[in-house]
Amino acid sequence: MSKESGSSVYKAWEATVRKTQAARKRANSIFGISVDHPDDDDHDHSSDESDCGPEDMIYNADRILPNGDYYTGHWCENFPHGQGKYLWTDGCMYVGEWFKGKTMGKGRFSWPSGATYEGEFKSGYMDGNGTYTGTNGDTYKGQWVMNLKHGHGTKNYSNGDWYEGEWRRGLQEGQGRYQWKDGNHYIGEWKNGVICGKGTFVWSNGNRYDGNWEDCVPKGNGTFRWPDGSLYVGNWSKDLSEQNGTYYPSQSSTDAHLEWNPQDVYNVDLKNCIICPGEKVSILPSQKKLAVWRSAKGESVKPRRMSVDGRVSVGLDKPFDRMQMWDGSAHGGESPCNASDHRASTVGAELDEDMMGLHVEDGNQRVHKTARRQGETISRGHKNYELMLNLQLGIRHSVGRPGPSGSLDLKPSAFDPKEKYWTRFPSEGSKYTPPHQSCEFKWKDYCPLVFRTLRKLFKVDPADYMLSICGNDALRELSSPGKSGSFFYLTNDDRYMIKTMKKAEVKVLIRMLSAYYNHVRAYENTLVTKFYGLHCVRLMGQPIQKKVRFIIMGNLFCSEYTIHRRFDLKGSSLGRTTDKPETEIDEMTILKDLDLNFIFRLQKTWFQDFCRQIDRDCEFLEQERIMDYSLLVGLHFRNTSAVGDLIPSGAHTPGDQDSEGAPRLSRADMDQLLLDPSRWASIKLGLNMPARVEKTERKSDEFQLVGDPTGEYYDVIMFFGIIDILQDYDISKKLEHAYKSIQYDPTSISAVDPRQYSRRFRDFIYKVFAEETAT
């Protein structure tokens, strides 16, 4: 190389260095950032390096990323790792601790609107203790779980009101105190962000109400007191026909409040006592995308859009093609996808992909097999065709018949075993029944008022209920009856399951119906089966007039998601394996305890709710002397190959050349639900729950009911509930227990005393369900 050429190269290098330093200074002046560079100091990062990996080096980075975002701070591999500041082009900014591309630890997130959150983060979410200050001046200080206020916290509203107490999933729930700026305050129970349950309201003038509340107004038994000692005791309701009570004057003022009207409490005293609504956040920290800088040793690699928690942005499941996933695009200036072409659906709620920052690339689709439908359609010529017609006629008659509207408080007489009604259905019709083509039959309704109220309690619309069961579409009969000899039928829309019952099971349900009603009313997250109707058909046109009793239940697996694995879990081991050879096991096969090869890991708050509800439900079943019930679990695996193979979390898929460092799928679908707490209702305990499962293996040389964890995880959507709750510990089960105890280990058989069954069931369930740990 000549001196002239060497000199020119050196000058060019000097010019490049000067431009880089100038750009760095401009960035520092614009963003107000003081940056340390690798050549400026000699900090020891050995501890961080051990976290990032033995072959990785942590260094201070100061760079403007390809999409215009700016980051300064510690960097490892292709991710922020350690302390750092990230500024998005839209004005959002995070300053704090990072772990492999996730906001993890303590930090501060600010929105361009002026809102801020300062506190703890976990895997990209506001999670732990933190303070949020809204644009309108509202301030919340307390506990958070996955971007939602959850736990104990205090919120001060900009208008002067404040609330201190318990929160659940973004709303006030549990015990809490709300103080209005005029001095009025309420102390008591809350539910879903409104006053509900027992509590005390004190007005600034000294008046107070102690009693029951519903939807922020007195409802039920309660007492209104005046400062002079006078009081009014009675049943409260905005409905004048239900309002009644007695006025007790004080000795000092016998006639001071004689003209007072209890309705004044609703129309005057509580008129201006409004609960301030919560502020909706425009975008959540876990939704912010992280533009990853990739150095590919001379190769020009297009940077991919990554979520802050390190997951590749993907699309949501589409209806009836539920396992198509798209990789996100990196182009910062592209137009959003056409919502009419790519409609995303999760749990029945259509979410706009552009709102979630999803950009679809059709070239990266991974198509999977659609699920086949269960059962055989009952058409004309089927042996149970007439029975189906009778059932549909009877349901239409029962649901369409006018009943008392009203209260969820039922009288004891509604649960009387004698509360049952026969209706005759002649072929030619009658005054109360339509003509039909089936043979004559009689129809029996058991405790109709109770089941009508249960449907109301479970928020089942009568018209939809009737349409599902009695519409133009036929029922489907499952291929084979269960061990009990019962037959199962599914409605065409999969919402309801109909099961034939033995007389003994009907007696058990009628006996425990009052306790069941009180239990499901008290615990809306109960996992026990939901019952919607109990009926009987007597076929009159046959020599032997047989009775067919059946119960209508909710179908646990009614979902847009394909259920890939089904488990029936009892906690016993004798006979608890499927009787199918491995080659015949498919997504419809019900696997059992000894077939289970997963541990189910739930997010912290869901795991706590799950444990509490399992305890409540098992105590209820134990009190009712019920045993032999199961936890039915369904899994939808969110990442499978085109041929149906399961892909672990963070595993590379064929053709995915750029997925290094992306541990799991994007949480954009969950984030969208969290944006609006009202959408949280689509994810409930046991229904549509995002979770992870860890694969287990049993040792071949010893017996194990639960295998050893392998560290291999899968992202799933979970469904679970307690089924088969109508078997009491009768004489037949006692004899079965005595007989099998002679031949086998008594602890391994299903037929055991309800108390022992409940304890063993819970012990097993708490081994196969666990709290999700940070990774």
Side-chain angles (χ1 to χ4, degrees):
M1 182 184 290
S2 66
K3 291 184 178 180
E4 290 79 6
S5 61
S7 177
S8 62
V9 170
Y10 184 78
K11 288 180 179 179
W13 175 79
E14 279 188 324
T16 302
V17 171
R18 283 195 299 270
K19 289 180 181 178
T20 303
Q21 291 174 342
R24 208 172 261 158
K25 290 177 181 178
R26 284 197 301 272
N28 292 346
S29 63
I30 293 171
F31 301 121
I33 299 169
S34 177
V35 183
D36 294 327
H37 304 293
D39 52 357
D40 294 338
D41 56 37
D42 231 354
H43 295 310
D44 179 16
H45 299 302
S46 58
S47 61
D48 288 338
E49 287 180 13
S50 64
D51 289 337
C52 198
E55 298 179 359
D56 304 320
M57 182 181 68
I58 294 180
Y59 56 94
N60 286 311
D62 177 19
R63 54 183 56 153
I64 298 176
L65 299 169
N67 69 335
D69 294 351
Y70 181 82
Y71 175 80
T72 179
H74 294 155
W75 193 270
C76 177
E77 269 191 311
N78 301 304
F79 303 104
H81 186 81
Q83 288 286 340
K85 178 184 289 190
Y86 194 106
L87 179 63
W88 286 267
T89 53
D90 63 0
C92 291
M93 183 170 65
Y94 171 79
V95 182
E97 297 174 346
W98 298 79
F99 182 81
K100 293 186 178 181
K102 307 174 186 179
T103 53
M104 183 84 77
K106 294 183 178 180
R108 185 177 190 271
F109 190 95
S110 58
W111 286 262
S113 62
T116 61
Y117 169 83
E118 187 166 359
E120 296 175 333
F121 287 81
K122 182 179 178 182
S123 298
Y125 293 100
M126 298 182 288
D127 198 304
N129 290 306
T131 301
Y132 174 84
T133 303
T135 55
N136 59 359
D138 291 355
T139 301
Y140 170 82
K141 184 177 182 180
Q143 295 174 313
W144 298 76
V145 172
M146 294 180 68
N147 293 332
L148 293 176
K149 306 174 188 72
H150 192 98
H152 189 85
T154 301
K155 183 162 185 178
N156 293 287
Y157 297 90
S158 56
N159 68 347
D161 296 355
W162 58 269
Y163 169 85
E164 181 179 5
E166 297 302 312
W167 298 75
R168 286 178 64 80
R169 295 170 182 166
L171 298 171
Q172 298 98 325
E173 183 156 331
Q175 289 289 332
R177 173 184 177 126
Y178 192 101
Q179 176 108 13
W180 283 266
K181 61 181 179 180
D182 59 6
N184 299 339
H185 68 268
Y186 167 82
I187 302 175
E189 296 177 347
W190 295 71
K191 188 174 183 180
N192 292 328
V194 298
I195 297 173
C196 187
K198 294 183 178 180
T200 299
F201 196 105
V202 179
W203 283 266
S204 56
N205 61 6
N207 295 344
R208 63 182 290 158
Y209 168 84
D210 300 276
N212 294 319
W213 295 75
E214 185 176 295
D215 197 19
C216 290
V217 294
K219 181 67 183 292
N221 294 324
T223 301
F224 189 92
R225 303 174 187 272
W226 286 268
D228 61 9
S230 303
L231 54 90
Y232 172 88
V233 181
N235 183 68
W236 293 74
S237 175
K238 294 182 75 173
D239 186 346
L240 289 173
S241 62
E242 297 179 1
Q243 174 79 46
N244 61 78
T246 304
Y247 170 69
Y248 298 92
S250 64
Q251 295 181 354
S252 59
S253 55
T254 56
D255 57 354
H257 311 289
L258 291 178
E259 296 182 0
W260 175 81
N261 185 347
Q263 291 297 308
D264 290 345
V265 174
Y266 300 98
N267 302 327
V268 180
D269 297 347
L270 294 175
K271 184 178 180 180
N272 297 319
C273 295
I274 300 171
I275 308 297
C276 288
E279 179 185 8
K280 291 187 178 180
V281 182
S282 58
I283 190 166
L284 299 168
S286 53
Q287 278 194 301
K288 294 302 296 176
K289 306 301 175 184
L290 174 63
V292 177
W293 181 286
R294 292 192 178 274
S295 57
K297 296 183 180 180
E299 298 178 11
S300 177
V301 181
K302 179 179 73 173
R304 299 180 67 192
R305 297 287 291 182
M306 305 286 288
S307 63
V308 168
D309 63 3
R311 297 187 175 90
V312 181
S313 299
V314 295
L316 294 178
D317 291 348
K318 294 176 68 177
F320 307 110
D321 194 8
R322 290 171 280 272
M323 290 175 283
Q324 292 187 10
M325 297 294 181
W326 296 272
D327 285 331
S329 173
H331 299 296
E334 67 204 339
S335 60
C337 62
N338 187 339
S340 64
D341 294 335
H342 302 289
R343 295 298 294 174
S345 172
T346 179
V347 202
E350 292 189 339
L351 305 178
D352 191 306
E353 292 170 306
D354 183 45
M355 286 176 64
M356 298 186 294
L358 303 179
H359 302 283
V360 176
E361 290 182 342
D362 293 331
N364 290 333
Q365 292 187 13
R366 297 198 296 275
V367 182
H368 306 274
K369 298 179 294 184
T370 56
R372 60 186 177 88
R373 304 194 78 189
Q374 274 186 289
E376 173 192 359
T377 300
I378 303 177
S379 54
R380 188 179 294 277
H382 191 283
K383 63 178 182 178
N384 288 324
Y385 179 70
E386 285 203 355
L387 178 62
M388 181 191 75
L389 294 181
N390 298 160
L391 186 154
Q392 291 177 324
L393 285 167
I395 294 291
R396 188 178 291 115
H397 171 75
S398 298
V399 178
R401 185 171 55 192
S405 61
S407 167
L408 297 177
D409 296 321
L410 298 179
K411 296 179 180 179
S413 59
F415 301 93
D416 193 319
K418 297 179 181 178
E419 192 73 7
K420 49 191 175 185
Y421 302 92
W422 282 104
T423 303
R424 181 170 164 267
F425 280 77
S427 301
E428 65 276 10
S430 68
K431 182 178 179 181
Y432 302 104
T433 62
H436 57 89
Q437 297 178 351
S438 177
C439 64
E440 181 178 340
F441 68 95
K442 292 183 73 176
W443 172 265
K444 181 191 282 188
D445 261 336
Y446 295 89
C447 301
L449 179 58
V450 176
F451 286 101
R452 181 187 293 269
T453 311
L454 278 172
R455 293 194 293 271
K456 179 181 178 181
L457 186 66
F458 295 142
K459 297 179 175 57
V460 173
D461 181 76
D464 290 342
Y465 180 73
M466 194 185 304
L467 190 63
S468 291
I469 302 174
C470 312
N472 296 327
D473 296 315
L475 303 178
R476 304 196 313 276
E477 183 180 70
L478 299 193
S479 55
S480 61
K483 286 186 177 180
S484 64
S486 299
F487 285 84
F488 293 86
Y489 304 92
L490 279 172
T491 57
N492 188 65
D493 59 6
D494 288 338
R495 292 179 64 186
Y496 303 103
M497 181 174 284
I498 300 167
K499 175 189 174 184
T500 60
M501 300 178 69
K502 297 177 181 177
K503 186 176 182 179
E505 291 178 309
V506 174
K507 287 185 175 180
V508 170
L509 179 54
I510 295 297
R511 171 181 62 78
M512 62 182 282
L513 190 57
S514 178
Y516 171 83
Y517 178 84
N518 292 330
H519 182 77
V520 298
R521 184 181 178 187
Y523 304 109
E524 64 177 350
N525 287 329
T526 180
L527 298 174
V528 299
T529 306
K530 289 182 170 61
F531 294 132
Y532 300 115
L534 180 61
H535 312 281
C536 177
V537 170
R538 176 186 287 177
L539 305 177
M540 307 294 290
Q542 300 180 0
I544 301 177
Q545 298 180 5
K546 70 171 184 176
K547 292 181 180 179
V548 181
R549 303 170 183 86
F550 54 89
I551 184 80
I552 301 176
M553 309 176 290
N555 177 19
L556 183 63
F557 296 151
C558 176
S559 171
E560 294 299 334
Y561 293 103
T562 302
I563 305 299
H564 298 121
R565 293 286 188 277
R566 302 162 192 255
F567 295 96
D568 181 280
L569 306 175
K570 291 186 177 183
S572 58
S573 57
L574 183 63
R576 297 299 295 163
T577 57
T578 181
D579 52 6
K580 283 187 177 182
E582 190 170 347
T583 54
E584 295 181 16
I585 293 176
D586 60 14
E587 59 193 15
M588 299 300 178
T589 304
I590 303 294
L591 303 172
K592 299 180 182 178
D593 300 65
L594 294 180
D595 303 312
L596 180 64
N597 59 341
F598 295 109
I599 290 176
F600 311 111
R601 297 197 176 276
L602 305 181
Q603 187 272 335
K604 179 179 179 180
T605 179
W606 279 330
F607 179 70
Q608 293 172 346
D609 290 347
F610 171 77
C611 293
R612 280 194 292 265
Q613 196 56 54
I614 283 287
D615 285 339
R616 292 164 179 161
D617 291 341
C618 287
E619 288 168 3
F620 157 68
L621 295 171
E622 183 182 330
Q623 289 171 2
E624 295 303 313
R625 303 290 294 167
I626 300 297
M627 42 78 67
D628 215 22
Y629 44 87
S630 309
L631 185 74
L632 184 63
V633 178
L635 300 179
H636 165 78
F637 289 89
R638 300 181 63 181
N639 202 4
T640 60
S641 69
V643 294
D645 295 330
L646 305 182
I647 300 175
S649 301
H652 294 266
T653 56
D656 187 5
Q657 303 173 353
D658 221 19
S659 62
E660 183 179 353
R664 294 207 296 270
L665 298 176
S666 170
R667 295 185 180 177
D669 51 350
M670 189 186 300
D671 285 340
Q672 184 58 32
L673 289 166
L674 299 181
L675 271 173
D676 184 356
S678 64
R679 292 193 179 186
W680 187 268
S682 61
I683 298 178
K684 295 181 179 179
L685 188 66
L687 181 66
N688 300 305
M689 291 182 61
R692 288 205 301 166
V693 296
E694 182 178 4
K695 190 174 181 180
T696 61
E697 289 182 355
R698 292 181 174 84
K699 296 179 181 178
S700 57
D701 59 340
E702 64 178 77
F703 171 80
Q704 278 183 291
L705 191 58
V706 181
D708 296 327
T710 63
E712 188 173 300
Y713 294 89
Y714 300 88
D715 291 298
V716 297
I717 303 294
M718 287 194 69
F719 304 80
F720 50 81
I722 298 176
I723 62 169
D724 297 337
I725 63 170
L726 298 179
Q727 178 60 60
D728 64 349
Y729 196 52
D730 57 13
I731 186 63
S732 65
K733 286 295 179 181
K734 292 177 181 178
L735 291 174
E736 179 185 344
H737 173 76
Y739 175 72
K740 288 186 176 180
S741 295
I742 299 173
Q743 297 179 300
Y744 308 102
D745 179 1
T747 61
S748 69
I749 61 180
S750 293
V752 294
D753 175 84
R755 179 176 295 178
Q756 182 183 346
Y757 191 94
S758 172
R759 183 170 59 251
R760 183 182 65 188
F761 177 81
R762 281 188 267 187
D763 288 344
F764 175 70
I765 294 302
Y766 294 151
K767 289 178 182 177
V768 297
F769 279 79
E771 181 180 330
E772 173 71 293
T773 55
T775 56

